Amino acid sequence: MLSNFAAFILTHGRPNNVKTYDTLKKFGYTGRVIIVIDNEDTTANEYKDKYGDLVIEFDKVEAEKITDKGDNFDNRKGVVFARNMVYDIAAGMNLNCFIVLDDDYSGFYYKFDAAGNYKDSPVKNLDRIFAATVEYYLATGAESVAYAQNGDFIGGKKSDTAIKKKLKRKVMQTFFCSNERRMDFVGRINEDVNMYVSRGMTGSVFLTIPQISVRQGTTQKNKGGLTDMYVDVGGTYVKSFYSVMYCPSCVKVTLMGDKHKRIHHHISWNNAVPVILHESFKKK
């Protein structure tokens, strides 16, 4: 496995249900794993009893001081604080690169075969996949790269992602990071979308790799973690409006889905990020 690399799992209130830890092992990751919790988690001792030295606890009040919450609620629920603090934790460990994960992943999957045909098959050696991704990440100017989400492939081989096989200008769920390319997450809710759109508007590059996908729990179905927060604020309607607040020129709230529609954010990418053409297209 890579040296100076670790997988951080951000978790809260689910000491007996950190699915990602077991998933990493199952799919062939043998490297270092760090369980990140906050000091306001009432189940902290249960995490420490189960995972021992793998657990690192951060001060949530200190994290709040360096985080733009996007609201004035007297509330520190949200993963945004952990996302911002993990950089300091990684720096203290002298880690060159690291991946930041949530706690509810059930698998990592290849989405195409060697010929480029759509095919859903499990990854058997995450060590090799992570190493190749880090090499790619460091070779680009991207602030972060991520794997696709399984939802990107709704429709299977007929999905837009499967047909086009294009990199997307976003990062969610699996953040490959470096302290040399630190990105500050903003907004107490929908912090990933808030970050990659607002920073993308000023020229930062984020890329989702479609060849690999991660499967995760369904929002508002897995008890604990972010689920309780979404219920507190009224679900995905308020969640999506945080991104509208940060980027009103290119984000709106709309309905998504086929038969069973739900409220979600919609990004107008033509209005969101600059597109730089290769110099070969320059008129002579």
Side-chain angles (χ1 to χ4, degrees), residues 20 36-37 57 104 108 124 142 153 191 246 249 251 276-277:
T20 304
V36 179
I37 65 173
E57 183 178 283
D104 60 347
F108 293 82
K124 296 182 179 179
F153 293 91
E191 76 293 330
Y246 277 99
S249 64
V251 183
I276 302 174
L277 298 178

Side-chain angles (χ1 to χ4, degrees), residues 99-168:
I99 184 172
V100 181
L101 309 166
D102 294 336
D103 64 2
D104 60 347
Y105 303 161
S106 60
F108 293 82
Y109 291 82
Y110 295 109
K111 304 307 291 187
F112 304 96
D113 62 19
N117 300 311
Y118 176 79
K119 183 180 180 181
D120 191 62
S121 58
V123 170
K124 296 182 179 179
N125 189 338
L126 264 182
D127 282 352
R128 186 170 66 176
I129 295 301
F130 283 179
T133 306
V134 167
E135 182 179 0
Y136 171 76
Y137 167 53
L138 294 178
T140 71
E143 287 195 10
S144 180
V145 300
Y147 300 135
Q149 299 169 273
N150 216 45
D152 291 325
F153 293 91
I154 293 175
K157 65 180 180 181
K158 295 182 179 180
S159 65
D160 184 68
T161 304
I163 293 172
K164 295 182 179 179
K165 303 183 182 68
K166 288 185 177 181
L167 294 164
K168 293 185 177 182

Side-chain angles (χ1 to χ4, degrees), residues 48-61:
K48 294 171 184 177
D49 289 341
K50 185 169 184 177
Y51 295 104
D53 292 340
L54 299 184
V55 178
I56 289 185
E57 183 178 283
F58 70 90
D59 188 321
K60 212 168 189 181
V61 172

Side-chain angles (χ1 to χ4, degrees), residues 182-205:
R182 180 164 183 157
M183 51 189 185
D184 293 321
F185 289 82
V186 294
R188 191 168 57 85
I189 310 173
N190 228 27
E191 76 293 330
D192 44 11
V193 179
N194 306 336
M195 183 276 299
Y196 68 68
V197 179
S198 61
R199 293 184 72 86
M201 290 178 69
T202 58
S204 295
V205 176

